[in-house]
Amino acid sequence: PISAGGNRPVLALSAERFEDVIKNTRAKGQEGWASRIKAVRDLLRNGKYKPAGRAKPSSEYLFAAALAGEFPSVNFFVDAVNLASLKYMYPMSIFDADRAGPKLVCRLGAPGERYVFNSGGQEIDVEDLICVCARTLKIATTEGAAGAAEEGDMVSARGVPIVNPVRDSMATKLFEGARNAVVAIYAPDGPEGADLEAAAADVARWCGTACARTETRLASLP
């Protein structure tokens, strides 16, 4: 979890940090990341879900962008998470904790579940995909702000999918004015998950330069 800090300035990540991570990624290349990429894809290979093509993990999109010299820049916090995702080749999500609400659950998407992931209204089918779900979701307006949560906004114990290792929902994306955020790092079990703590530490340290508080929690799912 990340909490914004009053009038504390939002600092840009240094160009040197970007260049170092991207340079190391390029030097390692596809072959150097092969086992990590396979392990992450295997993590997502559940039921009907096949992590390939447009359904591949977000970390692979960032990897391709880095190799092409087109690494994206969105805002400080999203950039920090994307850079950590590239450095460790783990897919990561960042979302507005206030809009998602305090009750979260991680599960596989159910048949028919989908959500809008971009401003163009495109949807992703999340059946059998690992998802973080919100059990209390604030209603997003067309302007991107969140409406007040009402008692009727409570959903079932299974929650509503909001983010996953491929694409994150527009409903809880981190827009300007957000005060609290959560970063989810999706790492496989076994040797290829050994960098999880280092990845979490980098996210906390980089984001910590522009926020009041960070807190790291590690968990294993059955």
Side-chain angles (χ1 to χ4, degrees), residues 95 100 103-117 124-137 155-165 167-172 186:
F95 59 92
K103 299 180 183 296
L104 304 172
V105 62
C106 188
R107 62 171 173 83
L108 297 183
E113 285 190 312
R114 58 182 60 241
Y115 59 64
V116 174
F117 65 83
I124 180 172
D125 183 343
V126 299
E127 181 177 357
D128 290 332
L129 178 58
I130 296 170
C131 294
V132 176
C133 305
R135 293 178 59 192
T136 310
L137 185 65
V155 294
S156 72
R158 290 177 58 78
V160 174
I162 56 171
V163 296
N164 62 56
R167 300 183 187 277
D168 298 337
S169 169
M170 286 294 290
T172 53
Y186 311 95

Side-chain angles (χ1 to χ4, degrees), residues 30-214:
Q30 188 80 29
E31 184 176 343
W33 282 115
S35 59
R36 176 68 49 90
I37 289 171
K38 180 181 183 302
V40 171
R41 284 197 176 197
D42 288 345
L43 173 69
L44 273 60
R45 208 180 300 278
N46 298 292
K48 295 181 178 180
Y49 196 83
K50 301 297 184 286
R54 293 186 178 181
K56 63 180 177 286
S58 58
S59 47
E60 292 188 44
Y61 284 100
L62 295 173
F63 181 63
L67 294 182
E70 300 172 351
F71 196 76
S73 180
V74 181
N75 62 50
F76 175 84
F77 292 109
V78 173
D79 291 355
V81 172
N82 282 346
L83 197 62
S85 179
L86 179 66
K87 180 177 178 179
Y88 296 99
M89 208 57 67
Y90 293 143
M92 302 184 188
S93 298
I94 182 168
F95 59 92
D96 189 323
D98 295 321
R99 294 172 71 177
K103 299 180 183 296
L104 304 172
V105 62
C106 188
R107 62 171 173 83
L108 297 183
E113 285 190 312
R114 58 182 60 241
Y115 59 64
V116 174
F117 65 83
N118 66 15
S119 58
Q122 288 183 287
E123 294 184 325
I124 180 172
D125 183 343
V126 299
E127 181 177 357
D128 290 332
L129 178 58
I130 296 170
C131 294
V132 176
C133 305
R135 293 178 59 192
T136 310
L137 185 65
K138 292 188 177 182
I139 301 170
T141 69
T142 55
E143 290 77 23
E150 305 290 346
E151 186 176 350
D153 292 335
M154 289 294 294
V155 294
S156 72
R158 290 177 58 78
V160 174
I162 56 171
V163 296
N164 62 56
V166 181
R167 300 183 187 277
D168 298 337
S169 169
M170 286 294 290
T172 53
K173 279 195 175 178
L174 206 67
F175 291 105
E176 185 176 353
R179 301 292 298 173
N180 299 285
V182 172
V183 177
I185 303 174
Y186 311 95
D189 197 10
E192 290 301 332
D195 289 330
L196 174 57
E197 290 192 37
D202 272 352
V203 169
R205 184 171 64 255
W206 296 348
C207 291
T209 63
C211 63
R213 181 180 62 86
T214 63

Side-chain angles (χ1 to χ4, degrees), residues 19-33:
E19 289 170 3
D20 285 346
V21 173
I22 291 174
K23 179 180 178 180
N24 291 338
T25 299
R26 288 174 173 170
K28 199 165 184 177
Q30 188 80 29
E31 184 176 343
W33 282 115

